[in-house]
Amino acid sequence: MFGTVPALRTVVLAEQTADDEKDVLEGLLHYRLFNEAERVRWRMEDIPWSSIDRSKITPSLVSLVHQIVLAELTTYSATRRFLQEFSEDIDFTQWMSIWFYEETKHPHALVRWLHEAGRAVSGGEIVRGRITAPFMKSRFGMLVTNIISEVHASATYVALTRTTEEPVLRQIARHLGGDEARHATGFFAYAQRAYEQSKNRDAERLDALKVLHMWLNQNGQVQHPVNTVGLRTSGDQELLEDWSRATTDQTIVEQHSLMQQRITRERILGLIGNLTEMELKTPEQVLQRIRELKIVDRKAS
């Protein structure tokens, strides 16, 4: 069990939904997202492990994949927190089951690749990798944070497919990048629903832009449960030392990082701008919109 809803709250939730006669197949986002996932789901047994080209594996590539594994492990703790925080939302919590299953396949595949490359992952590393940052208070902000997180994770794998020459890892990265992009779309759908149903859209806009501003300008202070490799490797001394020793492929690592950041920045500006009904093309525009919304908020209060 991930946790239980207090008894009184359970009764209240039951009373609220007892008279809901809407057809769930038509009314819930979960079923559409489930069908989309079923159509594109990949299988672990289809990965050609015997085709790994060890001549294309370098020390810094192994270190990079290891850090991505640690980033992916936060799914376990994050799922428990989502189910607790959104316990009354039958739609979102059902979708969480899809998200959890697919996300747990990611470290599984990468751990297997690392094993084949000669880098074992210990149980202690798995436990440490599950540690997450606290959720923010705004539920809408939490959804926006995870849109950004999933886009950033997708960009990680897109960059990996373009910079690595190891064919099996490239195939794995394509699978995982597709999953992450689809998960970003899922979080976006639930955030859009919350935004449309909100009684104070300016407050939701402000929360969303604050999260976006922190990611764009401070890149590491956004506290979300699904930390991605850009946040987890930033300032990691062990990884930096591994990379500094691997002089032969420094260019690949640098290309990966730059490509990842560029892809993420372009996509999240467009997504959050679309979500909040604002034109957002630069970090400066984001900051200006925050200032404008704060003025509106002060006048309203």
Side-chain angles (χ1 to χ4, degrees):
M1 293 291 289
F2 286 106
T4 57
V5 181
L8 180 59
R9 188 177 179 188
T10 303
V11 172
V12 172
L13 294 179
E15 291 176 348
Q16 290 175 343
T17 58
D19 297 328
D20 187 352
E21 298 180 354
K22 295 178 183 178
D23 186 339
V24 293
L25 288 177
E26 296 179 358
L28 301 189
L29 295 170
H30 160 75
Y31 292 101
R32 172 175 62 81
L33 296 172
F34 176 84
N35 290 336
E36 292 173 358
E38 288 285 281
R39 287 195 294 269
V40 298
R41 184 164 291 132
W42 54 276
R43 299 188 307 171
M44 196 77 67
E45 64 185 57
D46 292 333
I47 297 175
W49 301 107
S50 61
S51 298
I52 290 177
D53 186 347
R54 287 168 177 77
S55 69
K56 304 296 184 182
I57 299 175
T58 63
S60 64
L61 179 60
V62 170
S63 294
L64 176 62
V65 173
H66 177 252
Q67 290 301 314
I68 295 174
V69 167
L70 297 182
E72 289 281 13
L73 291 171
T74 57
T75 302
Y76 297 90
S77 302
T79 302
R80 182 181 65 249
R81 295 182 182 185
F82 273 125
L83 292 177
Q84 291 172 338
E85 186 65 32
F86 290 81
S87 58
E88 81 285 359
D89 190 334
I90 61 171
D91 191 347
F92 181 73
T93 49
Q94 285 191 90
W95 181 68
M96 275 288 99
S97 65
I98 302 173
W99 181 75
F100 179 64
Y101 168 69
E102 293 183 345
E103 286 286 348
T104 54
K105 288 172 66 179
H106 297 181
H108 185 170
L110 295 173
V111 166
R112 173 69 185 275
W113 184 89
L114 284 171
H115 176 80
E116 298 293 337
R119 172 61 159 94
V121 177
S122 70
E125 289 177 298
I126 297 291
V127 172
R128 289 191 296 273
R130 292 184 178 186
I131 298 173
T132 63
F135 272 26
M136 63 187 302
K137 293 181 180 180
S138 165
R139 284 174 41 151
F140 186 71
M142 288 164 52
L143 294 173
V144 170
T145 296
N146 280 275
I147 294 172
I148 295 174
S149 175
E150 299 291 347
V151 170
H152 192 75
S154 177
T156 295
Y157 296 119
V158 170
L160 193 57
T161 62
R162 296 179 184 177
T163 56
T164 184
E165 297 180 0
E166 203 295 294
V168 175
L169 180 59
R170 188 185 300 127
Q171 179 178 337
I172 294 171
R174 279 197 296 268
H175 287 321
L176 274 53
D179 285 351
E180 303 289 11
R182 187 161 38 78
H183 296 165
T185 300
F187 277 110
F188 182 91
Y190 286 105
Q192 187 173 48
R193 183 191 64 179
Y195 177 78
E196 291 172 350
Q197 295 175 352
S198 175
K199 297 179 180 179
N200 189 349
R201 292 188 179 182
D202 281 340
E204 310 292 17
R205 289 189 182 104
L206 185 56
D207 284 338
L209 296 186
K210 285 179 178 178
V211 171
L212 178 57
H213 173 69
M214 283 192 292
W215 190 90
L216 289 170
N217 295 279
Q218 299 169 30
N219 196 25
Q221 294 187 22
V222 178
Q223 299 299 303
H224 56 74
V226 192
N227 285 319
T228 49
V229 67
L231 302 184
R232 295 296 289 270
T233 59
S234 177
D236 188 298
Q237 191 59 39
E238 180 182 356
L239 180 62
L240 294 176
E241 289 174 356
D242 285 346
W243 285 356
S244 66
R245 287 193 294 267
T247 57
T248 58
D249 57 346
Q250 277 295 295
T251 301
I252 293 177
V253 173
E254 292 169 1
Q255 287 176 346
H256 177 275
S257 179
L258 290 172
M259 188 180 300
Q260 177 195 51
Q261 295 298 326
R262 177 180 58 79
I263 293 171
T264 305
R265 176 169 160 165
E266 291 175 358
R267 290 181 178 176
I268 63 173
L269 281 169
L271 278 173
I272 306 307
N274 185 22
L275 176 65
T276 58
E277 302 177 291
M278 292 182 166
E279 183 179 25
L280 300 174
K281 294 184 177 180
T282 67
E284 292 74 23
Q285 277 187 318
V286 174
L287 184 57
Q288 180 59 34
R289 296 291 183 267
I290 290 174
R291 289 169 177 164
E292 292 169 356
L293 287 168
K294 284 184 176 180
I295 292 174
V296 172
D297 182 60
R298 284 197 295 268
K299 289 181 178 179
S301 58

